[in-house]
Amino acid sequence: MTDLASRIQSLYEQVVTEVERAVAQYPVRQGEKSRNNLLAYHALQKHPINDLEMLLKERGLSSVRESLPHIMYTLQKIMENLGVHFLPPSHLSALSPFEARLISRIRTDLALGNIVGGRHTRIMVTLDSRMLDQPSIMDHLLINGMEIARINCAHDHPDIWESLIQMVRESEQRLHIPCKIYMDLAGPKVRLGAFHKEKKPLKIQVPTDLSGKWKEVSGFLDLSAPESKVMKGIDGQNTFVLAVRNKDMFKEAQKGDDIFFRDVKNRPRTLKIDECVSHSRMKVTVDQTSLIDEHVVFQHKAGKFSIHSINPSPVDIKVKRGDILRLYLNEARPGHAATEHEPAGVPVTLPKAFQNVLPDDRIFIDDGKINGIVHQVQKDFIDVKIHFPTIGYAKVKEGKGINLPDSLVDLNVPAITEKDFQDLPFIAKHADMVGISFVHRPNDLIKLRKELEHLSADNITVIAKIETKSAFQHLARIMIEGLNFQRFAVMIARGDLVIETGPEHLSHIQDEILAMCTAAHIPVIWATGILERLTKKGIPARSEITDASYGKRADAVMLNKGPYIIQSVKLLDRLLQSGDEFISGSPYRQAWHQPGLFIPSFRKKLPVRQHM
């Protein structure tokens, strides 16, 4: 026997021994072959094989690294080609490439639905409640490639969710294009609480073009509006609703009329009536930025009027590098700006998430736009010394998320909250898929499975969102537990994951997750930040084009909401189809799409605190 044959046989025997030892520790009700192959992948990672790979390549033999879906089968075939015909007895069955492809294809189609067209990767689109004002948008999304519609239960309420789902179903029937409904459980997201409120003038911001000329902003005067407000429409443009009471003006107003006023800064401004929509609502435009409050007097030929019901807004709270931001552990205490005697302070939701916080722990706010180090921990508050932004100020906003990557949040906060349990009956009735946010350990999936069985919804697809450090560290066990579901998938939720693990680790981590999903024949969803600039601003960044193209390694790619979502779906559809000749005929992700998979040491670099 040659030295190469001997080394391959030794490697095979060690992998088989480790898998056999682990099988009893991780029982599954189904998916035994996938579990065994995932265990083989982990066993293989413990052994340095770089030089073996080079020797195999020189002999024209298969690469072990490129055979993730059928590891033991590949090792057996390599030995057979090297003249090793007597293998140690084992009760483990080795999956062939054909079996691995079949299992992967069946499991992916069951979990995510059959795909239409020439792509191998599905497109998931996050729905926005503002889409309810644009009934045709769902048709455009389906026509241009959306196969999965996502609703995030952290936002809005069941009435809005049901209306969005109805829009999808009506477009489905009208166009005969199938679409799955995916609903995310809100999960235990730690957020900033409410701030003190104060009355501020409404600011109607009118942008300028490249030449500096003012553009127009349209809005409405409304007799029945409950409040006056400024907001962004689904198209991303500013709009406004001004609540008024002057019925006589509505009776006499005509298209083209001007309404004159001086804003809060005493600047002359004009509203032009574009359309009398109804007896109580008219569309108007303004061509200059204006500050308006309830004391501003509007002058129309039919008489004078003012607006009403401007709701108080949160106070402005800003921080810069070196400031102290106080986090109140009493959610009822409203946020306030810094004073001469105390730093700016804001309340937090889920105070129990802070039970293990220690000095020098890192804290990230608003997806990392603000971050700092814990300065001191007191019974009622935690002081954070701000490190970022490094230049200028950052605005602290109500409701923004908080990440505590060093503070063992999962020990005190369950992945499934009381709100999630309340939302599950609706989800079980209306959705095809449910996502469990902030999953930490296999037990989180067990709790969800029991609740779904109680609701007679155990055939719904369950998607484990990997977005915390603890989820990644327990990923193999989470995936093995996931095999007990009839339909299961994994989502790489890169937004929170990059904060939890550090940006320097994200590339390795997402590749590792993709590799493990390939080995376990579990479909994977590539999420967060895909074509984000295009979706929000209308112009894609060069780097996100490459990032979106990498989505071909996954079974689905998720787009977040934004005013240019249709353009993003169109571009993503083209990107996912281009180059498919390289992977045609392969229903699972090829290992050669996974650079740097076999770098087992990078996990050790993650900042991990030992459990006490």
Side-chain angles (χ1 to χ4, degrees):
M1 184 185 300
T2 65
D3 178 61
L4 177 58
S6 177
R7 291 178 63 185
I8 289 292
Q9 182 175 6
S10 175
L11 175 64
Y12 172 79
E13 291 174 354
Q14 291 178 66
V15 168
V16 169
T17 299
E18 292 182 39
V19 173
E20 288 179 332
R21 188 184 301 126
V23 160
Q25 189 178 352
Y26 302 107
V28 290
R29 296 188 296 185
Q30 55 190 0
E32 290 185 0
K33 293 181 178 179
S34 296
R35 173 205 58 189
N36 295 351
N37 197 67
L38 177 60
L39 293 173
Y41 167 76
H42 271 279
L44 191 66
Q45 279 191 306
K46 299 177 184 178
H47 304 279
I49 61 170
N50 284 343
D51 59 334
L52 274 178
E53 285 286 287
M54 290 298 298
L55 291 172
L56 291 173
K57 185 176 181 180
E58 290 172 359
R59 296 285 293 270
L61 297 172
S62 298
S63 165
V64 180
R65 289 178 172 171
E66 295 176 6
S67 306
L68 299 186
H70 39 79
I71 290 169
M72 289 186 288
Y73 175 92
T74 298
L75 288 172
Q76 290 176 1
K77 287 299 178 183
I78 291 172
M79 287 187 290
E80 184 179 316
N81 288 325
L82 291 172
V84 180
H85 299 291
F86 300 100
L87 302 178
S90 173
H91 67 273
L92 300 174
S93 58
L95 276 173
S96 69
F98 174 79
E99 290 176 297
R101 284 195 296 270
L102 185 62
I103 290 172
S104 180
R105 182 170 58 197
I106 291 173
R107 193 170 285 150
T108 301
D109 288 347
L110 278 174
L112 304 179
N114 294 321
I115 199 163
V116 179
R119 284 187 274 104
H120 295 276
T121 302
R122 295 149 185 81
I123 295 177
M124 176 188 292
V125 176
T126 302
L127 302 187
D128 188 329
S129 59
R130 291 173 293 182
M131 291 177 175
L132 294 174
D133 296 326
Q134 291 188 330
S136 65
I137 193 172
M138 217 60 73
D139 285 4
H140 290 296
L141 290 172
L142 287 174
I143 289 169
N144 286 291
M146 176 179 75
E147 283 104 358
I148 304 170
R150 172 180 176 255
I151 294 173
N152 187 351
C153 295
H155 305 294
D156 303 315
H157 52 80
D159 290 343
I160 296 291
W161 305 339
E162 189 166 7
S163 297
L164 288 169
I165 292 169
Q166 185 178 349
M167 279 182 68
V168 174
R169 296 307 185 207
E170 288 174 355
S171 290
E172 253 190 322
Q173 294 178 7
R174 185 164 50 249
L175 300 173
H176 304 289
I177 299 175
C179 183
K180 297 289 186 182
I181 300 294
Y182 165 51
M183 300 187 73
D184 266 329
L185 295 173
K189 181 72 171 178
V190 187
R191 298 184 183 276
L192 298 179
F195 295 1
H196 271 299
K197 301 295 190 294
E198 61 182 7
K199 279 220 170 184
K200 303 176 186 176
L202 297 178
K203 183 176 184 179
I204 303 175
Q205 183 74 46
V206 179
T208 58
D209 58 22
L210 295 176
S211 65
K213 183 180 179 181
W214 295 98
K215 298 181 179 180
E216 289 185 340
V217 169
S218 63
F220 298 90
L221 299 182
D222 199 317
L223 286 172
S224 58
E227 62 177 309
S228 297
K229 60 182 179 179
V230 175
M231 61 281 190
K232 280 191 179 294
I234 184 64
D235 59 358
Q237 303 301 313
N238 293 328
T239 186
F240 57 90
V241 174
L242 302 180
V244 298
R245 292 196 177 99
N246 191 322
K247 295 181 180 179
D248 293 336
M249 187 270 291
F250 271 75
K251 291 178 182 178
E252 298 187 26
Q254 294 180 342
K255 180 179 178 180
D257 284 357
D258 290 331
I259 300 173
F260 304 100
F261 66 98
R262 285 186 174 273
D263 77 348
V264 169
K265 292 188 175 182
N266 202 34
R267 297 173 297 189
R269 297 289 188 260
T270 302
L271 293 177
K272 182 175 288 292
I273 299 176
D274 275 1
E275 179 184 0
C276 296
V277 180
S278 69
H279 68 279
S280 63
R281 187 175 175 88
M282 62 177 65
K283 186 176 181 181
V284 296
T285 57
V286 61
D287 60 3
Q288 289 179 288
T289 295
S290 307
L291 287 170
I292 302 173
D293 65 12
E294 293 166 340
H295 301 291
V296 169
V297 177
F298 294 83
Q299 179 69 54
H300 181 260
K301 63 184 180 182
K304 298 177 180 179
F305 66 92
S306 58
I307 67 172
H308 64 88
S309 301
I310 299 178
N311 288 335
S313 304
V315 298
D316 287 334
I317 301 176
K318 296 180 179 180
V319 293
K320 66 180 186 305
R321 184 180 177 90
D323 284 352
I324 294 293
L325 179 64
R326 181 160 291 174
L327 304 181
Y328 294 120
L329 301 180
N330 178 4
E331 190 175 356
R333 182 166 184 176
H336 60 82
T339 68
E340 185 180 347
H341 305 292
E342 64 178 341
V346 292
V348 298
T349 63
L350 289 174
K352 60 184 178 181
F354 295 80
Q355 287 183 14
N356 298 315
V357 171
L358 296 174
D360 295 328
D361 279 3
R362 295 170 297 155
I363 290 186
F364 295 84
I365 299 172
D366 195 2
D367 292 331
K369 294 182 179 69
I370 301 170
N371 68 62
I373 301 294
V374 173
H375 181 64
Q376 68 165 323
V377 179
Q378 298 292 334
K379 180 181 178 181
D380 299 323
F381 64 84
I382 293 170
D383 280 347
V384 179
K385 188 169 185 179
I386 302 300
H387 282 201
F388 187 87
T390 54
I391 300 174
Y393 288 85
K395 188 174 181 179
V396 186
K397 301 176 183 178
E398 278 187 347
K400 292 300 181 180
I402 302 173
N403 290 87
L404 308 164
D406 305 325
S407 305
L408 302 176
V409 174
D410 58 293
L411 297 183
N412 304 103
V413 179
I416 306 177
T417 67
E418 191 59 39
K419 178 187 184 304
D420 295 334
F421 282 115
Q422 293 171 5
D423 291 341
L424 272 171
F426 180 96
I427 294 171
K429 180 180 178 181
H430 293 90
D432 305 294
M433 312 173 192
V434 58
I436 175 169
S437 301
F438 303 101
V439 60
H440 298 298
R441 290 177 172 81
N443 194 50
D444 299 326
L445 290 179
I446 294 172
K447 289 180 182 178
L448 178 59
R449 188 176 72 244
K450 289 179 178 178
E451 186 64 19
L452 291 175
E453 289 172 350
H454 174 71
L455 294 169
S456 300
D458 50 336
N459 64 335
I460 192 171
T461 296
V462 171
I463 296 174
K465 297 175 65 177
I466 308 304
E467 49 192 333
T468 66
K469 185 164 60 178
S470 60
F472 177 68
Q473 291 166 341
H474 297 100
L475 182 56
R477 293 170 56 217
I478 288 171
M479 292 172 66
I480 290 172
E481 183 57 44
L483 291 171
N484 287 316
F485 290 94
Q486 294 183 35
R487 296 169 171 86
F488 180 74
V490 162
M491 176 182 283
I492 309 175
R494 302 185 300 173
D496 283 286
L497 192 60
V498 68
I499 295 172
E500 289 270 328
T501 61
E504 69 274 20
H505 298 300
L506 180 63
S507 177
H508 293 305
I509 287 173
Q510 64 188 15
D511 283 341
E512 176 81 356
I513 297 172
L514 282 163
M516 292 174 68
C517 288
T518 300
H521 317 114
I522 289 174
V524 63
I525 300 166
W526 183 268
T528 316
I530 314 297
L531 295 179
E532 193 79 0
R533 191 168 181 268
L534 172 59
T535 304
K536 303 292 187 188
K537 304 294 184 182
I539 301 175
R542 293 177 180 86
S543 57
E544 68 182 15
I545 297 292
T546 302
D547 181 60
S549 297
Y550 280 4
K552 283 183 284 191
R553 298 182 291 176
D555 298 289
V557 171
M558 188 194 91
L559 294 171
N560 274 321
K561 57 190 177 184
Y564 301 97
I565 185 61
I566 293 174
Q567 290 91 320
S568 290
V569 171
K570 288 180 178 179
L571 176 58
L572 184 58
D573 179 63
R574 294 198 299 272
L575 291 171
L576 294 177
Q577 290 196 54
S578 65
D580 265 3
E581 62 272 18
F582 296 111
I583 58 173
S584 60
S586 301
Y588 56 82
R589 295 155 305 283
Q590 292 290 345
W592 53 264
H593 282 144
Q594 330 267 347
L597 292 182
F598 288 77
I599 309 179
S601 61
F602 82 88
R603 290 196 198 186
K604 300 175 183 177
K605 299 176 184 177
L606 291 176
V608 179
R609 176 187 296 160
Q610 295 297 319
H611 288 228
M612 302 300 291

